[in-house]
Amino acid sequence: MYSIRLWAARHARLLELTYQAVEPVIIKLQPLWKSVGYARAEKPVARLEQACKGLLFDCQMCGQCILSSTGMSCSMNCPKHLRNGPCGGVMQNGNCEVEPDTRCVWVEAWEGSQRMKNSDAIQIVQLPVDHLLQGTSSWLRVARLAAERRESLK
């Protein structure tokens, strides 16, 4: 899993392009999500999301995905669960002080973000994790928010 996670950060631009192609499909399916009901769609969509993102990013399913801001490196893989950058314990070789045999999630995030079109997004301060959303689908949340934005513009 760790080697795939490193691959994802090294290929952040490719994965960013892939997500940009998939996101509109998820949003266009919003009428389906609404007709089925978000509560009923949540479990199967979250399972699918966990399977995809779990394999590629070792996703922890926080429900508030920021992969597009963190160079396709899941910040929740940080042993200290830091959401806005590295701690002061990053070793000289870029490894983690808590898990010395692994690269710091935030070193990977920075390098991955520099490969992405919107590389400055990593500098945006993220809100704290809402633990009530743990295990829920961020994909459905994106679709719902896009629909709400569309409705508010009408």
Side-chain angles (χ1 to χ4, degrees), residues 25-57:
V25 174
I26 294 168
I27 292 170
K28 283 186 197 278
L29 288 173
Q30 194 277 336
L32 171 68
W33 311 133
K34 191 173 181 177
S35 69
V36 168
Y38 283 101
R40 289 179 63 199
E42 180 64 46
K43 237 181 198 161
V45 173
R47 279 193 207 121
L48 176 63
E49 186 173 340
Q50 172 61 47
C52 296
K53 290 170 39 179
L55 173 67
L56 284 172
F57 312 109

PDB file of all heavy atoms in Angstrom, residues 25-57:
ATOM      1  N   VAL A  25     -18.871  13.860 -13.901  1.00  0.00           N
ATOM      2  CA  VAL A  25     -19.784  12.716 -13.973  1.00  0.00           C
ATOM      3  C   VAL A  25     -20.494  12.534 -12.635  1.00  0.00           C
ATOM      4  O   VAL A  25     -21.713  12.334 -12.585  1.00  0.00           O
ATOM      5  CB  VAL A  25     -19.027  11.431 -14.377  1.00  0.00           C
ATOM      6  CG1 VAL A  25     -19.937  10.216 -14.311  1.00  0.00           C
ATOM      7  CG2 VAL A  25     -18.410  11.588 -15.757  1.00  0.00           C
ATOM      8  N   ILE A  26     -19.739  12.625 -11.555  1.00  0.00           N
ATOM      9  CA  ILE A  26     -20.324  12.503 -10.215  1.00  0.00           C
ATOM     10  C   ILE A  26     -21.367  13.599  -9.997  1.00  0.00           C
ATOM     11  O   ILE A  26     -22.448  13.350  -9.467  1.00  0.00           O
ATOM     12  CB  ILE A  26     -19.222  12.565  -9.130  1.00  0.00           C
ATOM     13  CG1 ILE A  26     -18.304  11.350  -9.238  1.00  0.00           C
ATOM     14  CG2 ILE A  26     -19.821  12.660  -7.732  1.00  0.00           C
ATOM     15  CD1 ILE A  26     -17.034  11.453  -8.421  1.00  0.00           C
ATOM     16  N   ILE A  27     -21.047  14.797 -10.442  1.00  0.00           N
ATOM     17  CA  ILE A  27     -21.974  15.925 -10.286  1.00  0.00           C
ATOM     18  C   ILE A  27     -23.206  15.740 -11.173  1.00  0.00           C
ATOM     19  O   ILE A  27     -24.330  15.990 -10.742  1.00  0.00           O
ATOM     20  CB  ILE A  27     -21.258  17.259 -10.574  1.00  0.00           C
ATOM     21  CG1 ILE A  27     -20.224  17.528  -9.465  1.00  0.00           C
ATOM     22  CG2 ILE A  27     -22.250  18.409 -10.684  1.00  0.00           C
ATOM     23  CD1 ILE A  27     -19.296  18.679  -9.748  1.00  0.00           C
ATOM     24  N   LYS A  28     -23.012  15.247 -12.403  1.00  0.00           N
ATOM     25  CA  LYS A  28     -24.162  15.021 -13.297  1.00  0.00           C
ATOM     26  C   LYS A  28     -25.082  13.929 -12.765  1.00  0.00           C
ATOM     27  O   LYS A  28     -26.263  13.916 -13.085  1.00  0.00           O
ATOM     28  CB  LYS A  28     -23.678  14.668 -14.695  1.00  0.00           C
ATOM     29  CG  LYS A  28     -23.190  15.858 -15.481  1.00  0.00           C
ATOM     30  CD  LYS A  28     -22.857  15.465 -16.891  1.00  0.00           C
ATOM     31  CE  LYS A  28     -22.015  16.460 -17.579  1.00  0.00           C
ATOM     32  NZ  LYS A  28     -22.436  17.566 -18.167  1.00  0.00           N
ATOM     33  N   LEU A  29     -24.557  13.032 -11.960  1.00  0.00           N
ATOM     34  CA  LEU A  29     -25.380  11.985 -11.362  1.00  0.00           C
ATOM     35  C   LEU A  29     -26.149  12.480 -10.137  1.00  0.00           C
ATOM     36  O   LEU A  29     -26.883  11.711  -9.515  1.00  0.00           O
ATOM     37  CB  LEU A  29     -24.504  10.784 -10.974  1.00  0.00           C
ATOM     38  CG  LEU A  29     -23.969   9.955 -12.136  1.00  0.00           C
ATOM     39  CD1 LEU A  29     -22.978   8.913 -11.627  1.00  0.00           C
ATOM     40  CD2 LEU A  29     -25.101   9.309 -12.907  1.00  0.00           C
ATOM     41  N   GLN A  30     -26.009  13.748  -9.814  1.00  0.00           N
ATOM     42  CA  GLN A  30     -26.670  14.307  -8.639  1.00  0.00           C
ATOM     43  C   GLN A  30     -28.174  14.060  -8.625  1.00  0.00           C
ATOM     44  O   GLN A  30     -28.714  13.716  -7.572  1.00  0.00           O
ATOM     45  CB  GLN A  30     -26.340  15.800  -8.517  1.00  0.00           C
ATOM     46  CG  GLN A  30     -26.688  16.408  -7.191  1.00  0.00           C
ATOM     47  CD  GLN A  30     -28.152  16.828  -7.098  1.00  0.00           C
ATOM     48  OE1 GLN A  30     -28.812  17.081  -8.091  1.00  0.00           O
ATOM     49  NE2 GLN A  30     -28.644  16.900  -5.883  1.00  0.00           N
ATOM     50  N   PRO A  31     -28.885  14.164  -9.772  1.00  0.00           N
ATOM     51  CA  PRO A  31     -30.325  13.837  -9.730  1.00  0.00           C
ATOM     52  C   PRO A  31     -30.580  12.386  -9.286  1.00  0.00           C
ATOM     53  O   PRO A  31     -31.553  12.123  -8.580  1.00  0.00           O
ATOM     54  CB  PRO A  31     -30.788  14.061 -11.175  1.00  0.00           C
ATOM     55  CG  PRO A  31     -29.809  15.048 -11.735  1.00  0.00           C
ATOM     56  CD  PRO A  31     -28.500  14.726 -11.076  1.00  0.00           C
ATOM     57  N   LEU A  32     -29.702  11.485  -9.685  1.00  0.00           N
ATOM     58  CA  LEU A  32     -29.822  10.093  -9.230  1.00  0.00           C
ATOM     59  C   LEU A  32     -29.638  10.014  -7.723  1.00  0.00           C
ATOM     60  O   LEU A  32     -30.425   9.374  -7.022  1.00  0.00           O
ATOM     61  CB  LEU A  32     -28.801   9.200  -9.937  1.00  0.00           C
ATOM     62  CG  LEU A  32     -28.679   7.780  -9.404  1.00  0.00           C
ATOM     63  CD1 LEU A  32     -29.953   6.992  -9.699  1.00  0.00           C
ATOM     64  CD2 LEU A  32     -27.461   7.094  -9.985  1.00  0.00           C
ATOM     65  N   TRP A  33     -28.581  10.666  -7.215  1.00  0.00           N
ATOM     66  CA  TRP A  33     -28.320  10.638  -5.768  1.00  0.00           C
ATOM     67  C   TRP A  33     -29.522  11.217  -5.016  1.00  0.00           C
ATOM     68  O   TRP A  33     -29.926  10.697  -3.988  1.00  0.00           O
ATOM     69  CB  TRP A  33     -27.069  11.442  -5.389  1.00  0.00           C
ATOM     70  CG  TRP A  33     -25.831  11.169  -6.179  1.00  0.00           C
ATOM     71  CD1 TRP A  33     -25.000  12.100  -6.730  1.00  0.00           C
ATOM     72  CD2 TRP A  33     -25.256   9.901  -6.503  1.00  0.00           C
ATOM     73  NE1 TRP A  33     -23.966  11.485  -7.378  1.00  0.00           N
ATOM     74  CE2 TRP A  33     -24.099  10.137  -7.255  1.00  0.00           C
ATOM     75  CE3 TRP A  33     -25.622   8.584  -6.252  1.00  0.00           C
ATOM     76  CZ2 TRP A  33     -23.286   9.120  -7.743  1.00  0.00           C
ATOM     77  CZ3 TRP A  33     -24.820   7.557  -6.734  1.00  0.00           C
ATOM     78  CH2 TRP A  33     -23.672   7.824  -7.468  1.00  0.00           C
ATOM     79  N   LYS A  34     -30.088  12.287  -5.577  1.00  0.00           N
ATOM     80  CA  LYS A  34     -31.223  12.932  -4.905  1.00  0.00           C
ATOM     81  C   LYS A  34     -32.459  12.037  -4.930  1.00  0.00           C
ATOM     82  O   LYS A  34     -33.170  11.923  -3.933  1.00  0.00           O
ATOM     83  CB  LYS A  34     -31.515  14.282  -5.570  1.00  0.00           C
ATOM     84  CG  LYS A  34     -32.475  15.131  -4.797  1.00  0.00           C
ATOM     85  CD  LYS A  34     -32.596  16.507  -5.419  1.00  0.00           C
ATOM     86  CE  LYS A  34     -33.537  17.365  -4.614  1.00  0.00           C
ATOM     87  NZ  LYS A  34     -33.635  18.705  -5.139  1.00  0.00           N
ATOM     88  N   SER A  35     -32.728  11.389  -6.076  1.00  0.00           N
ATOM     89  CA  SER A  35     -33.918  10.543  -6.176  1.00  0.00           C
ATOM     90  C   SER A  35     -33.790   9.285  -5.309  1.00  0.00           C
ATOM     91  O   SER A  35     -34.768   8.852  -4.712  1.00  0.00           O
ATOM     92  CB  SER A  35     -34.200  10.161  -7.627  1.00  0.00           C
ATOM     93  OG  SER A  35     -33.224   9.277  -8.115  1.00  0.00           O
ATOM     94  N   VAL A  36     -32.605   8.713  -5.254  1.00  0.00           N
ATOM     95  CA  VAL A  36     -32.376   7.541  -4.401  1.00  0.00           C
ATOM     96  C   VAL A  36     -32.392   7.969  -2.942  1.00  0.00           C
ATOM     97  O   VAL A  36     -32.827   7.224  -2.073  1.00  0.00           O
ATOM     98  CB  VAL A  36     -31.023   6.866  -4.755  1.00  0.00           C
ATOM     99  CG1 VAL A  36     -30.617   5.831  -3.723  1.00  0.00           C
ATOM    100  CG2 VAL A  36     -31.073   6.254  -6.135  1.00  0.00           C
ATOM    101  N   GLY A  37     -31.890   9.163  -2.714  1.00  0.00           N
ATOM    102  CA  GLY A  37     -31.755   9.689  -1.358  1.00  0.00           C
ATOM    103  C   GLY A  37     -30.300   9.580  -0.937  1.00  0.00           C
ATOM    104  O   GLY A  37     -29.685   8.520  -1.061  1.00  0.00           O
ATOM    105  N   TYR A  38     -29.755  10.697  -0.490  1.00  0.00           N
ATOM    106  CA  TYR A  38     -28.345  10.708  -0.114  1.00  0.00           C
ATOM    107  C   TYR A  38     -28.046   9.691   0.993  1.00  0.00           C
ATOM    108  O   TYR A  38     -27.018   9.041   0.972  1.00  0.00           O
ATOM    109  CB  TYR A  38     -27.917  12.110   0.332  1.00  0.00           C
ATOM    110  CG  TYR A  38     -27.699  13.045  -0.826  1.00  0.00           C
ATOM    111  CD1 TYR A  38     -28.651  13.984  -1.176  1.00  0.00           C
ATOM    112  CD2 TYR A  38     -26.542  12.975  -1.589  1.00  0.00           C
ATOM    113  CE1 TYR A  38     -28.463  14.842  -2.252  1.00  0.00           C
ATOM    114  CE2 TYR A  38     -26.340  13.821  -2.660  1.00  0.00           C
ATOM    115  CZ  TYR A  38     -27.296  14.749  -2.988  1.00  0.00           C
ATOM    116  OH  TYR A  38     -27.091  15.584  -4.058  1.00  0.00           O
ATOM    117  N   ALA A  39     -28.951   9.549   1.919  1.00  0.00           N
ATOM    118  CA  ALA A  39     -28.725   8.604   3.024  1.00  0.00           C
ATOM    119  C   ALA A  39     -28.632   7.172   2.506  1.00  0.00           C
ATOM    120  O   ALA A  39     -27.780   6.404   2.962  1.00  0.00           O
ATOM    121  CB  ALA A  39     -29.837   8.728   4.059  1.00  0.00           C
ATOM    122  N   ARG A  40     -29.482   6.815   1.547  1.00  0.00           N
ATOM    123  CA  ARG A  40     -29.450   5.459   0.987  1.00  0.00           C
ATOM    124  C   ARG A  40     -28.248   5.257   0.077  1.00  0.00           C
ATOM    125  O   ARG A  40     -27.703   4.162  -0.004  1.00  0.00           O
ATOM    126  CB  ARG A  40     -30.738   5.172   0.235  1.00  0.00           C
ATOM    127  CG  ARG A  40     -31.917   5.007   1.185  1.00  0.00           C
ATOM    128  CD  ARG A  40     -33.210   4.754   0.483  1.00  0.00           C
ATOM    129  NE  ARG A  40     -33.182   3.501  -0.261  1.00  0.00           N
ATOM    130  CZ  ARG A  40     -34.025   3.212  -1.237  1.00  0.00           C
ATOM    131  NH1 ARG A  40     -34.948   4.083  -1.586  1.00  0.00           N
ATOM    132  NH2 ARG A  40     -33.952   2.066  -1.856  1.00  0.00           N
ATOM    133  N   ALA A  41     -27.828   6.296  -0.634  1.00  0.00           N
ATOM    134  CA  ALA A  41     -26.688   6.192  -1.548  1.00  0.00           C
ATOM    135  C   ALA A  41     -25.355   6.213  -0.803  1.00  0.00           C
ATOM    136  O   ALA A  41     -24.344   5.730  -1.318  1.00  0.00           O
ATOM    137  CB  ALA A  41     -26.721   7.333  -2.555  1.00  0.00           C
ATOM    138  N   GLU A  42     -25.367   6.737   0.403  1.00  0.00           N
ATOM    139  CA  GLU A  42     -24.127   6.947   1.157  1.00  0.00           C
ATOM    140  C   GLU A  42     -23.285   5.674   1.297  1.00  0.00           C
ATOM    141  O   GLU A  42     -22.088   5.683   0.998  1.00  0.00           O
ATOM    142  CB  GLU A  42     -24.441   7.527   2.540  1.00  0.00           C
ATOM    143  CG  GLU A  42     -23.232   7.781   3.409  1.00  0.00           C
ATOM    144  CD  GLU A  42     -22.295   8.832   2.846  1.00  0.00           C
ATOM    145  OE1 GLU A  42     -22.761   9.896   2.410  1.00  0.00           O
ATOM    146  OE2 GLU A  42     -21.074   8.581   2.841  1.00  0.00           O
ATOM    147  N   LYS A  43     -23.887   4.593   1.773  1.00  0.00           N
ATOM    148  CA  LYS A  43     -23.100   3.388   2.054  1.00  0.00           C
ATOM    149  C   LYS A  43     -22.448   2.791   0.803  1.00  0.00           C
ATOM    150  O   LYS A  43     -21.239   2.557   0.802  1.00  0.00           O
ATOM    151  CB  LYS A  43     -23.972   2.348   2.754  1.00  0.00           C
ATOM    152  CG  LYS A  43     -23.401   1.931   4.063  1.00  0.00           C
ATOM    153  CD  LYS A  43     -24.241   0.892   4.742  1.00  0.00           C
ATOM    154  CE  LYS A  43     -23.823   0.889   6.190  1.00  0.00           C
ATOM    155  NZ  LYS A  43     -24.762   0.295   7.065  1.00  0.00           N
ATOM    156  N   PRO A  44     -23.208   2.556  -0.277  1.00  0.00           N
ATOM    157  CA  PRO A  44     -22.548   1.973  -1.453  1.00  0.00           C
ATOM    158  C   PRO A  44     -21.529   2.911  -2.097  1.00  0.00           C
ATOM    159  O   PRO A  44     -20.463   2.470  -2.540  1.00  0.00           O
ATOM    160  CB  PRO A  44     -23.691   1.641  -2.410  1.00  0.00           C
ATOM    161  CG  PRO A  44     -24.891   2.328  -1.893  1.00  0.00           C
ATOM    162  CD  PRO A  44     -24.656   2.629  -0.449  1.00  0.00           C
ATOM    163  N   VAL A  45     -21.831   4.199  -2.138  1.00  0.00           N
ATOM    164  CA  VAL A  45     -20.889   5.149  -2.740  1.00  0.00           C
ATOM    165  C   VAL A  45     -19.635   5.264  -1.871  1.00  0.00           C
ATOM    166  O   VAL A  45     -18.513   5.296  -2.385  1.00  0.00           O
ATOM    167  CB  VAL A  45     -21.547   6.523  -2.986  1.00  0.00           C
ATOM    168  CG1 VAL A  45     -20.523   7.547  -3.447  1.00  0.00           C
ATOM    169  CG2 VAL A  45     -22.671   6.402  -4.003  1.00  0.00           C
ATOM    170  N   ALA A  46     -19.807   5.291  -0.561  1.00  0.00           N
ATOM    171  CA  ALA A  46     -18.653   5.354   0.342  1.00  0.00           C
ATOM    172  C   ALA A  46     -17.782   4.102   0.193  1.00  0.00           C
ATOM    173  O   ALA A  46     -16.550   4.187   0.232  1.00  0.00           O
ATOM    174  CB  ALA A  46     -19.107   5.524   1.789  1.00  0.00           C
ATOM    175  N   ARG A  47     -18.419   2.933   0.006  1.00  0.00           N
ATOM    176  CA  ARG A  47     -17.639   1.698  -0.202  1.00  0.00           C
ATOM    177  C   ARG A  47     -16.831   1.771  -1.497  1.00  0.00           C
ATOM    178  O   ARG A  47     -15.672   1.384  -1.530  1.00  0.00           O
ATOM    179  CB  ARG A  47     -18.556   0.481  -0.228  1.00  0.00           C
ATOM    180  CG  ARG A  47     -18.926   0.003   1.132  1.00  0.00           C
ATOM    181  CD  ARG A  47     -19.565  -1.378   1.079  1.00  0.00           C
ATOM    182  NE  ARG A  47     -20.450  -1.519   2.206  1.00  0.00           N
ATOM    183  CZ  ARG A  47     -21.743  -1.774   2.145  1.00  0.00           C
ATOM    184  NH1 ARG A  47     -22.327  -1.954   0.990  1.00  0.00           N
ATOM    185  NH2 ARG A  47     -22.459  -1.857   3.230  1.00  0.00           N
ATOM    186  N   LEU A  48     -17.462   2.253  -2.558  1.00  0.00           N
ATOM    187  CA  LEU A  48     -16.769   2.399  -3.838  1.00  0.00           C
ATOM    188  C   LEU A  48     -15.622   3.405  -3.705  1.00  0.00           C
ATOM    189  O   LEU A  48     -14.507   3.166  -4.181  1.00  0.00           O
ATOM    190  CB  LEU A  48     -17.748   2.848  -4.927  1.00  0.00           C
ATOM    191  CG  LEU A  48     -17.141   3.129  -6.297  1.00  0.00           C
ATOM    192  CD1 LEU A  48     -16.527   1.868  -6.886  1.00  0.00           C
ATOM    193  CD2 LEU A  48     -18.208   3.704  -7.228  1.00  0.00           C
ATOM    194  N   GLU A  49     -15.903   4.513  -3.054  1.00  0.00           N
ATOM    195  CA  GLU A  49     -14.878   5.545  -2.841  1.00  0.00           C
ATOM    196  C   GLU A  49     -13.713   4.987  -2.018  1.00  0.00           C
ATOM    197  O   GLU A  49     -12.553   5.211  -2.349  1.00  0.00           O
ATOM    198  CB  GLU A  49     -15.512   6.748  -2.137  1.00  0.00           C
ATOM    199  CG  GLU A  49     -14.598   7.929  -1.998  1.00  0.00           C
ATOM    200  CD  GLU A  49     -15.320   9.153  -1.449  1.00  0.00           C
ATOM    201  OE1 GLU A  49     -16.560   9.238  -1.515  1.00  0.00           O
ATOM    202  OE2 GLU A  49     -14.598  10.044  -0.947  1.00  0.00           O
ATOM    203  N   GLN A  50     -14.028   4.230  -0.975  1.00  0.00           N
ATOM    204  CA  GLN A  50     -12.979   3.630  -0.138  1.00  0.00           C
ATOM    205  C   GLN A  50     -12.129   2.660  -0.958  1.00  0.00           C
ATOM    206  O   GLN A  50     -10.916   2.638  -0.828  1.00  0.00           O
ATOM    207  CB  GLN A  50     -13.591   2.906   1.064  1.00  0.00           C
ATOM    208  CG  GLN A  50     -12.595   2.090   1.880  1.00  0.00           C
ATOM    209  CD  GLN A  50     -11.486   2.924   2.493  1.00  0.00           C
ATOM    210  OE1 GLN A  50     -11.750   3.957   3.071  1.00  0.00           O
ATOM    211  NE2 GLN A  50     -10.261   2.464   2.369  1.00  0.00           N
ATOM    212  N   ALA A  51     -12.776   1.876  -1.815  1.00  0.00           N
ATOM    213  CA  ALA A  51     -12.030   0.919  -2.633  1.00  0.00           C
ATOM    214  C   ALA A  51     -11.066   1.639  -3.578  1.00  0.00           C
ATOM    215  O   ALA A  51      -9.887   1.279  -3.662  1.00  0.00           O
ATOM    216  CB  ALA A  51     -12.994   0.032  -3.422  1.00  0.00           C
ATOM    217  N   CYS A  52     -11.550   2.666  -4.256  1.00  0.00           N
ATOM    218  CA  CYS A  52     -10.709   3.406  -5.208  1.00  0.00           C
ATOM    219  C   CYS A  52      -9.618   4.198  -4.508  1.00  0.00           C
ATOM    220  O   CYS A  52      -8.424   4.049  -4.793  1.00  0.00           O
ATOM    221  CB  CYS A  52     -11.567   4.363  -6.036  1.00  0.00           C
ATOM    222  SG  CYS A  52     -12.782   3.563  -7.077  1.00  0.00           S
ATOM    223  N   LYS A  53     -10.038   5.059  -3.587  1.00  0.00           N
ATOM    224  CA  LYS A  53      -9.087   5.945  -2.924  1.00  0.00           C
ATOM    225  C   LYS A  53      -8.232   5.209  -1.894  1.00  0.00           C
ATOM    226  O   LYS A  53      -7.099   5.602  -1.643  1.00  0.00           O
ATOM    227  CB  LYS A  53      -9.830   7.124  -2.287  1.00  0.00           C
ATOM    228  CG  LYS A  53     -10.370   8.070  -3.342  1.00  0.00           C
ATOM    229  CD  LYS A  53     -11.316   9.127  -2.847  1.00  0.00           C
ATOM    230  CE  LYS A  53     -11.027   9.764  -1.559  1.00  0.00           C
ATOM    231  NZ  LYS A  53     -12.008  10.793  -1.180  1.00  0.00           N
ATOM    232  N   GLY A  54      -8.774   4.143  -1.329  1.00  0.00           N
ATOM    233  CA  GLY A  54      -7.989   3.350  -0.390  1.00  0.00           C
ATOM    234  C   GLY A  54      -6.799   2.709  -1.075  1.00  0.00           C
ATOM    235  O   GLY A  54      -5.684   2.710  -0.557  1.00  0.00           O
ATOM    236  N   LEU A  55      -7.033   2.172  -2.265  1.00  0.00           N
ATOM    237  CA  LEU A  55      -5.953   1.528  -3.015  1.00  0.00           C
ATOM    238  C   LEU A  55      -4.894   2.539  -3.440  1.00  0.00           C
ATOM    239  O   LEU A  55      -3.706   2.340  -3.216  1.00  0.00           O
ATOM    240  CB  LEU A  55      -6.521   0.817  -4.244  1.00  0.00           C
ATOM    241  CG  LEU A  55      -5.480   0.241  -5.203  1.00  0.00           C
ATOM    242  CD1 LEU A  55      -4.738  -0.911  -4.538  1.00  0.00           C
ATOM    243  CD2 LEU A  55      -6.121  -0.202  -6.497  1.00  0.00           C
ATOM    244  N   LEU A  56      -5.336   3.635  -4.042  1.00  0.00           N
ATOM    245  CA  LEU A  56      -4.385   4.601  -4.600  1.00  0.00           C
ATOM    246  C   LEU A  56      -3.700   5.491  -3.568  1.00  0.00           C
ATOM    247  O   LEU A  56      -2.521   5.803  -3.699  1.00  0.00           O
ATOM    248  CB  LEU A  56      -5.096   5.503  -5.613  1.00  0.00           C
ATOM    249  CG  LEU A  56      -5.392   4.894  -6.960  1.00  0.00           C
ATOM    250  CD1 LEU A  56      -6.261   5.827  -7.782  1.00  0.00           C
ATOM    251  CD2 LEU A  56      -4.101   4.581  -7.706  1.00  0.00           C
ATOM    252  N   PHE A  57      -4.448   5.920  -2.573  1.00  0.00           N
ATOM    253  CA  PHE A  57      -3.933   6.954  -1.675  1.00  0.00           C
ATOM    254  C   PHE A  57      -3.842   6.509  -0.220  1.00  0.00           C
ATOM    255  O   PHE A  57      -3.497   7.312   0.637  1.00  0.00           O
ATOM    256  CB  PHE A  57      -4.822   8.204  -1.742  1.00  0.00           C
ATOM    257  CG  PHE A  57      -5.137   8.641  -3.142  1.00  0.00           C
ATOM    258  CD1 PHE A  57      -6.416   8.493  -3.657  1.00  0.00           C
ATOM    259  CD2 PHE A  57      -4.152   9.177  -3.952  1.00  0.00           C
ATOM    260  CE1 PHE A  57      -6.714   8.884  -4.951  1.00  0.00           C
ATOM    261  CE2 PHE A  57      -4.435   9.566  -5.247  1.00  0.00           C
ATOM    262  CZ  PHE A  57      -5.724   9.419  -5.749  1.00  0.00           C
TER     263      PHE A  57
END
